[in-house]
Amino acid sequence: MSRVYYERLSEESAEYLNNESSRLRAHTAMILVFEAGPLGTEDGGIDFERIREIVRMRLPELPRLRTKLRRVPVDGHPVWVDDQEFNLDFHLRQSSLPRPGNHDQLCRTASRIAATKLDRSRPLWDCWVIEGLESGHFALVLKMHKALAHLEGADLFRAILQASEDRVTGSVSRYRARPAPSPLELFSTEVLRSFAPSRRVVGRTMRLLFSPGQLSREARGRARGLLKIMGYQLRPAGESPFDGNLSPHRSFSVHEVDLAGVQAIRQSLGGSVHDVVLTLLTGALRRYVQELRISPTNVDLRAVTPILDASEKSADAWLVELPLWEETAAGRHEVIAEQSRRIRLEADVASGDSLVQSAQWNAATLFAIGARALKEIDAGQIGILQSPGPQQPLYLDGARLVESYGILPLQGAAGLGITVLGYGGSLFFAFNCDPDIVRDIDRLRDALDTEAAELLAMADARGPALRAVAGTAR
């Protein structure tokens, strides 16, 4: 068997495949916006063939992007094998907006791309080059299945981005796919030779562990433990305006917030950047429901937010109450910061300021780790994922990266998912919603802009908060 290659998927990754449907997708997406730079053409377009050449040069560093799914006979468990007929043209594609395209048009195009299911007969990723943005900008829209995105050798953006403005050099090497096992070889290895009662018990246990019912119980158990520490009694969350039966449709909206302003708010209110982000979003959600003529005091909403461990190699999803009922921004921040403080006392987690501490492009990998931690979202909950990114400029063959957004797949009954990526002195917010549940998502984006401006004005008026020398929060 040493002459052939295959790799069995984990039970968790197999569950992502099994639970996917026309309404529940299991892939994440990222949107990167670039200046045209040397990739611009005389007619105002983008040199797509040059981008294709760069990706081809980097593919030897990305063996996972050339693997596809096979099923073990009888057993049915998926395995990775090399795609003997891999063709980059089925994964790297080109499109254009009506010039000059704006961010709303980009979001509509990206939402249509992300709404379609990945072809399981090929490697589970697609990347689109979208030209025609205003100021000559262009975007890369990458979608990748959660079963693949977290694996070493699958981070396309890390391979093609660099800190230097220099043009990419190198050559395209010939691809030699490793032979895949025959169905008989897979059956004999995975079913006959590996059959044992202990393995059956482990497999059954893992399937139970990753079943939606078990996951929701696990999340509720963790939340009860946390809130018990804080002196709260956790009650089942009621339905929120963001709950409903998911449709196949998706709508995106994005917004950039200056990191210096967020830091000023943090210095005034205390806590971490992570806490300020949740405070901003809570205020924006409060404004949004008020525009719907819904009283915030009647909305019981919690965020399922992945928090990286100290090694930044895995994440756990924690439930954080979003106090829409609290009238003042300072009061909302106090409630959120206290919850975060308790979490960091009870668990070995990364700094709450990790959004602004990364020194290299690892946003896609950390984003995938966080997305996998969001295994189940119940009624009255929304997923909010914050992922760090580098603060220094990055380039694609001399074209500077200017914006970076991540898109979470919707799960459960939640019609809204929110991501925040840090890069280059800004925080980039992305909203993914089911438009049949959360209507006019741009109103939430505008509410975030208003909330950020008012919080910054309040921070300027208050000035920096006094802090104790010892016992600084992580």
Side-chain angles (χ1 to χ4, degrees):
M1 289 297 293
S2 59
R3 67 180 180 84
V4 300
Y5 163 77
Y6 78 92
E7 182 179 346
R8 185 181 177 92
L9 272 70
S10 69
E11 295 288 343
E12 181 179 3
S13 294
E15 283 300 312
Y16 290 134
L17 294 167
N18 295 336
N19 293 335
E20 193 170 17
S21 70
S22 62
R23 298 169 185 267
L24 294 173
R25 295 290 181 235
H27 57 254
T28 60
M30 297 195 76
I31 305 172
L32 302 190
V33 179
F34 296 84
E35 296 175 346
L39 291 175
T41 60
E42 293 182 358
D43 62 357
I46 297 298
D47 190 349
F48 175 76
E49 289 304 318
R50 175 58 178 167
I51 295 175
R52 185 178 182 276
E53 180 185 15
I54 293 169
V55 173
R56 289 187 65 201
M57 284 191 288
R58 294 293 184 255
L59 277 177
E61 305 170 23
L62 305 164
R64 299 287 186 178
L65 299 189
R66 286 169 162 163
T67 59
K68 66 177 184 178
L69 294 172
R70 284 270 299 275
R71 293 278 181 176
V72 178
V74 181
D75 176 85
H77 194 89
V79 299
W80 296 115
V81 299
D82 281 355
D83 185 358
Q84 307 292 321
E85 301 175 324
F86 178 80
N87 187 333
L88 183 59
D89 292 338
F90 286 94
H91 300 276
L92 185 63
R93 312 182 188 204
Q94 183 180 21
S95 186
S96 180
L97 303 176
R99 299 175 186 173
N102 56 37
H103 277 65
D104 290 341
Q105 292 170 317
L106 174 62
C107 286
R108 284 196 293 270
T109 300
S111 65
R112 288 194 293 267
I113 291 172
T116 59
K117 189 175 180 180
L118 287 161
D119 184 354
R120 293 197 181 182
S121 68
R122 305 182 188 276
L124 297 178
W125 66 279
D126 282 337
C127 185
W128 290 74
V129 180
I130 311 294
E131 61 181 60
L133 280 166
E134 53 194 351
S135 304
H137 291 182
F138 71 97
L140 297 184
V141 179
L142 173 69
K143 66 176 182 178
M144 188 174 293
H145 203 281
K146 289 201 289 185
L148 174 66
H150 72 294
L151 298 175
E152 186 71 25
D155 194 339
L156 175 63
F157 287 156
R158 184 169 187 171
I160 65 175
L161 296 177
Q162 57 186 21
S164 170
E165 298 182 58
D166 297 339
R167 305 301 297 272
V168 174
T169 59
S171 59
V172 177
S173 59
R174 184 178 179 183
Y175 170 53
R176 296 183 181 274
R178 294 164 290 187
S182 68
L184 180 59
E185 287 175 316
L186 265 181
F187 178 78
S188 63
T189 301
E190 288 295 308
V191 178
L192 297 182
R193 296 183 191 177
S194 301
F195 178 81
S198 59
R199 178 165 178 170
R200 295 178 66 187
V201 170
V202 170
R204 187 176 301 143
T205 302
M206 293 301 290
R207 284 191 292 273
L208 176 63
L209 176 62
F210 291 109
S211 67
Q214 177 65 33
L215 286 169
S216 60
R217 288 193 294 272
E218 177 185 330
R220 287 195 293 269
R222 180 179 290 137
R224 286 192 182 95
L226 173 63
L227 295 180
K228 185 178 179 181
I229 294 170
M230 299 173 60
Y232 292 114
Q233 182 68 35
L234 180 65
R235 64 190 184 283
E239 289 189 0
S240 80
F242 309 104
D243 291 339
N245 295 319
L246 293 180
S247 76
H249 311 121
R250 298 294 181 265
S251 181
F252 297 167
S253 189
V254 297
H255 187 65
E256 178 180 355
V257 174
D258 181 48
L259 178 59
V262 173
Q263 292 282 28
I265 296 170
R266 171 183 177 270
Q267 291 171 5
S268 176
L269 297 180
S272 66
V273 172
H274 180 275
D275 301 333
V276 173
V277 167
L278 290 181
T279 300
L280 284 170
L281 289 172
T282 302
L285 291 165
R286 175 184 169 88
R287 293 174 185 272
Y288 179 81
V289 299
Q290 285 178 321
E291 289 187 13
L292 298 178
R293 301 294 188 267
I294 298 173
S295 173
T297 58
N298 296 329
V299 179
D300 186 13
L301 188 64
R302 300 187 181 104
V304 185
T305 178
I307 298 181
L308 290 168
D309 64 17
S311 69
E312 297 193 350
K313 293 182 179 179
S314 64
D316 287 320
W318 291 86
L319 286 180
V320 177
E321 183 175 10
L322 302 181
L324 273 66
W325 39 264
E326 175 59 53
E327 292 188 1
T328 67
R332 293 192 289 271
H333 183 78
E334 183 179 356
V335 172
I336 290 169
E338 175 62 15
Q339 292 180 80
S340 295
R341 188 182 73 84
R342 294 291 184 178
I343 289 174
R344 298 183 194 288
L345 286 175
E346 296 300 318
D348 186 22
V349 298
S351 166
D353 296 322
S354 61
L355 272 171
V356 298
Q357 292 178 347
S358 182
Q360 60 180 342
W361 177 267
N362 54 1
T365 300
L366 296 180
F367 181 75
I369 291 172
R372 286 172 67 90
L374 293 173
K375 298 182 177 71
E376 178 70 10
I377 299 178
D378 289 338
Q381 301 173 357
I382 59 173
I384 299 179
L385 193 160
Q386 303 184 43
S387 181
Q391 295 307 300
Q392 76 276 15
L394 293 176
Y395 301 86
L396 170 60
D397 199 37
R400 186 169 71 94
L401 173 64
V402 292
E403 300 173 46
S404 173
Y405 303 97
I407 304 295
L408 276 179
L410 300 183
Q411 300 180 65
L416 174 67
I418 304 172
T419 62
V420 188
L421 269 61
Y423 166 71
S426 294
L427 297 181
F428 295 96
F429 291 73
F431 304 94
N432 177 20
C433 77
D434 183 332
D436 294 337
I437 300 173
V438 181
R439 300 183 184 278
D440 197 1
I441 190 63
D442 291 339
R443 293 167 67 181
L444 179 56
R445 175 200 63 195
D446 296 341
L448 173 63
D449 185 52
T450 302
E451 184 70 13
E454 291 197 4
L455 265 177
L456 181 58
M458 181 193 69
D460 290 341
R462 288 169 54 120
L466 295 176
R467 298 192 180 193
V469 175
T472 302
R474 293 177 57 194

